[in-house]
Amino acid sequence: METINRLKENVEIILPQDGLEQKLEQAKNENRSLVIKLGFDPTAPDLHLGHAVVLKKMKQFQDFGHQIVILVGSFTATIGDPTGKNKSRKPLSIEEVQHNAETYISQLSKVIDVSKAKIVFNSEWLDKLSSSELIQLLSKVTVAQLMHRNDFNKRFTENTPISMHELLYPILQGFDSVKLNCDVEMGGTDQLFNCTMGRQLQETFNLSPQIVMCMPLLKGLDGKEKMSKSLNNIIGLTDEPTEMFGKTMSIPDNLILEYLDLATDFSPEEKQVVKERLSTGENPMDIKKAIAKNIISQYHSKEDADKAERFFQNQFQNKKFDEKAFTPVAIESLEAQNTALALINLCQKLKADMTKSALKRLIEGGGVQVNNDKVMDSFLDIELVAGTKIRIGKRDFYELL
RNA sequence: GGGGAGAUUCCAGAGUGGCCAAAUGGGACGGACUGUAACUCCGUUAGCGUAAGCUUUCGAAGGUUCGAAUCCUUCUCUCCCCA
C-alpha cells in the first residue's frame, strides 16, 4: 500500500518488522488515529537537520491524519541525560528547561504542524511518582538489560563513570510511552534501546507494545560523526540562508546521497534523477548546489535559496576580490585617533571576538587581505579611507565607509 | 569501610625540580592546490605587548625551594581490587 511505503521510506529500523502494518490495520478497525511519540531533551536549544530527519517522518504521519505527540523530557533533563554521550550531561534548571522547550517548539514549527501536535512534558507524571512506584517500575528491568545498551556497555568496559540516575533514564522514557499509551515511538537509531524499553514496559502494564521506528542519524559537516551541536558540525534549522548554503557546499562528497535522501524534500522521482546525474559524472558541486537550494527552500523560501546561491557564487567561487559583498563599516565607529591604523588594530575593531594573538597569527599566516593584496605585516598602517576593503579569514569581508 | 592507581593545554596523551606555554597525534584555523569537496604539502594552535619581556595555565587550596606540571600537606573527583 502506498501509505505504508511512504511511511517506511528512509526508516532504518522498524520493530517489529511488520508492526506498522498491524498498527495501521488495528487503528483502522478501531476507527482511530495512531499516537506517535517523539521525545526531546530540552538541552541545547538548537534544532538542526539531524533532528529534521525524524521530524519529517513525524510530519508524514501527521499528514496521514495521525496524532503526533512531542514529549519534552522536562523531568529527565533536570536529572541529567546520558543519551549518546560518554559524559553525563549536567542537569538543567526548571527555568532553562522551560526556555529551551519554548525555543524548540518554535523551531519545530519549521517542519511539523505544531497546532495539531500534542505537546506534553514528562514532569507532569514523573514529578508525582513516589519512591515505591518508582522502585516497582525499576523491578521490571534487569541490570543485564541495561548493560546491553551500547554506550553503557562501552563506558562500563572502559571504566568511565556511569551514574545510577543515568541508568534510570531509559526506563523513565519507556514509562512515558506507558503513560501516553503510544502506538509508535520515533527516534534516531541511537534511541533504539530506549524505545524498546517502552515496548517492554507497556507489556508489563498490559498495554499493546508500541512500534519502534528509528531513523538514520544524519552525519554532520565533518562527514564522520553524527550531526550534533556539541561537535560543531551542524546545519541549524534557523541558520541564515547563506550560511546553510555554504555549509551544505562544504559537506564531503560521500555524504551527498545521504543528504539527498534525508535532508531534502525531493520526491522519489526527483531523487532518482539527481542520482543519475551524479552517476553520469556530473560535477558533484552542482548536485550539492541543488541540495543546498532544496534545503533552504524548506526552511526559508525559494527566493532565499536563489539569493543564497548567487551570494555563494559571487562571494566564494568568483575570484575577483572587488566583486565580493562587503559588510560596510563606518570609519567613525572605529574610534581611531589617527587617519591610519595598524592592520592588527583595525582587524581587532572589525572582529571583536578574536584575540589579538589569534589575529596576529592569522595575518602572519597570510589570512588577511587589504584591497586585493595579501598583507602579512601586522603593523602595517592602513589608511582609513572610504572604500578600503578588508578580508579577514576565509569568509569575512569588510569595507570602510 | 580497607588497599592501590590516577586527574596535564580543545581532545587523546608524553613530561617526575630549572632547557616547559609544556613532546607527539587528532581536531581546528590559515596558506598553496581546488569545486569554501577530497587528497597532498606548508604554517599556526594561552593572553598582553611592533620588541625585550611580562601575565595566566598542568583537578583545588596551602607549603618547601632561588626556582614546581614535577616534592610535601589537606581537600575534591574518577578508576581498580578487597570486604
Side-chain angles (χ1 to χ4, degrees):
Chain A
M1 192 162 64
E2 181 60 17
T3 312
I4 286 280
N5 290 340
R6 288 286 287 162
L7 287 173
K8 281 189 159 179
E9 188 185 12
N10 285 333
V11 176
E12 187 156 327
I13 304 168
I14 301 184
L15 273 182
Q17 285 217 334
D18 58 351
L20 187 61
E21 287 84 344
Q22 288 178 11
K23 279 283 185 188
L24 285 168
E25 185 67 29
Q26 189 186 336
K28 198 176 166 191
N29 293 340
E30 294 169 13
N31 197 24
R32 65 181 182 92
S33 54
L34 293 177
V35 175
I36 322 287
K37 174 183 112 178
L38 176 66
F40 268 105
D41 299 302
T43 44
D46 281 299
L47 292 183
H48 50 66
L49 290 183
H51 295 115
V53 173
V54 184
L55 286 170
K56 281 182 189 182
K57 188 55 68 178
M58 294 292 277
K59 176 73 163 81
Q60 276 184 0
F61 274 108
Q62 203 169 30
D63 289 343
F64 284 119
H66 298 291
Q67 175 65 59
I68 68 170
V69 178
I70 302 295
L71 178 119
V72 181
S74 50
F75 179 85
T76 28
T78 57
I79 61 173
D81 157 39
T83 309
K85 290 284 181 181
N86 296 330
K87 260 184 246 164
S88 46
R89 281 183 194 162
K90 65 170 184 295
L92 299 180
S93 72
I94 294 163
E95 291 73 30
E96 286 170 308
V97 168
Q98 189 60 40
H99 175 261
N100 289 348
E102 281 166 22
T103 316
Y104 263 142
I105 291 162
S106 77
Q107 291 182 31
L108 288 175
S109 67
K110 286 185 173 289
V111 185
I112 61 168
D113 184 345
V114 173
S115 67
K116 286 188 197 148
K118 195 168 150 194
I119 294 171
V120 293
F121 291 75
N122 65 358
S123 38
E124 197 182 307
W125 51 86
L126 293 180
D127 272 343
K128 295 180 192 135
L129 207 62
S130 72
S131 301
S132 60
E133 285 172 310
L134 177 63
I135 290 171
Q136 274 175 41
L137 182 63
L138 298 184
S139 71
K140 316 284 190 198
V141 181
T142 68
V143 173
Q145 278 182 314
L146 288 175
M147 293 318 293
H148 265 87
R149 201 177 100 155
N150 278 344
D151 75 307
F152 286 149
N153 195 289
K154 187 158 173 271
R155 286 160 66 189
F156 190 71
T157 49
E158 284 176 358
N159 293 333
T160 48
I162 303 171
S163 302
M164 281 300 293
H165 74 278
E166 295 181 50
L167 296 174
L168 305 197
Y169 182 84
I171 300 170
L172 295 177
Q173 181 171 333
F175 186 62
D176 292 339
S177 289
V178 171
K179 278 292 173 185
L180 294 166
N181 198 3
C182 297
D183 293 300
V184 178
E185 177 161 8
M186 297 265 338
T189 48
D190 56 343
Q191 289 294 311
L192 176 62
F193 181 91
N194 290 8
C195 296
T196 316
M197 190 55 70
R199 284 175 62 77
Q200 182 180 338
L201 290 179
Q202 281 170 317
E203 281 189 295
T204 69
F205 281 84
N206 292 319
L207 297 168
S208 164
Q210 65 188 7
I211 304 309
V212 177
M213 292 179 72
C214 295
M215 301 302 292
L217 297 178
L218 186 70
K219 286 205 180 74
L221 301 177
D222 52 75
K224 297 187 186 88
E225 306 283 348
K226 70 172 181 180
M227 189 174 278
S228 147
K229 179 111 200 253
S230 56
L231 295 171
N232 202 18
N233 62 0
I234 68 165
I235 298 178
L237 298 191
T238 55
D239 280 354
E240 292 300 315
T242 50
E243 210 176 334
M244 279 188 173
F245 201 98
K247 284 181 177 178
T248 306
M249 292 309 287
S250 77
I251 62 167
D253 288 359
N254 60 1
L255 248 55
I256 289 179
L257 288 180
E258 188 173 324
Y259 274 61
L260 180 66
D261 279 333
L262 301 178
T264 67
D265 65 355
F266 286 129
S267 69
E269 295 75 33
E270 287 170 317
K271 284 180 183 173
Q272 197 48 45
V273 171
V274 175
K275 283 176 191 172
E276 274 160 24
R277 281 168 59 193
L278 196 59
S279 62
T280 52
E282 191 170 332
N283 190 339
M285 177 189 66
D286 293 318
I287 309 294
K288 281 202 260 187
K289 280 184 180 172
I291 292 173
K293 280 166 72 172
N294 177 280
I295 290 172
I296 296 165
S297 303
Q298 290 175 67
Y299 302 106
H300 296 280
S301 68
K302 178 84 178 62
E303 291 70 46
D304 286 328
D306 291 335
K307 253 190 265 174
E309 182 182 29
R310 282 198 297 275
F311 179 82
F312 177 84
Q313 280 170 347
N314 186 58
Q315 201 73 348
F316 301 111
Q317 297 197 301
N318 178 0
K319 300 285 183 201
K320 296 196 183 96
F321 185 79
D322 285 332
E323 292 173 12
K324 310 286 189 188
F326 294 86
T327 307
V329 176
I331 292 175
E332 306 86 72
S333 70
L334 300 174
E335 294 169 349
Q337 308 296 317
N338 303 311
T339 56
L341 210 51
L343 180 59
I344 186 159
N345 294 322
L346 178 56
C347 288
Q348 199 173 30
K349 298 278 188 191
L350 298 172
K351 280 201 68 70
D353 57 322
M354 283 181 77
T355 66
K356 222 167 168 181
S357 303
L359 282 168
K360 198 171 161 186
R361 285 196 291 269
L362 190 62
I363 294 168
E364 285 165 10
V368 172
Q369 256 178 292
V370 179
N371 290 336
N372 211 8
D373 290 316
K374 198 182 277 183
V375 178
M376 296 170 82
D377 174 4
S378 304
F379 297 98
L380 185 73
D381 276 329
I382 305 299
E383 295 294 328
L384 301 180
V385 292
T388 304
K389 291 168 172 165
I390 297 136
R391 174 186 196 165
I392 303 175
K394 247 178 194 156
R395 36 182 99 66
D396 287 316
F397 296 81
Y398 302 94
E399 177 171 11
L400 300 185
L401 290 177

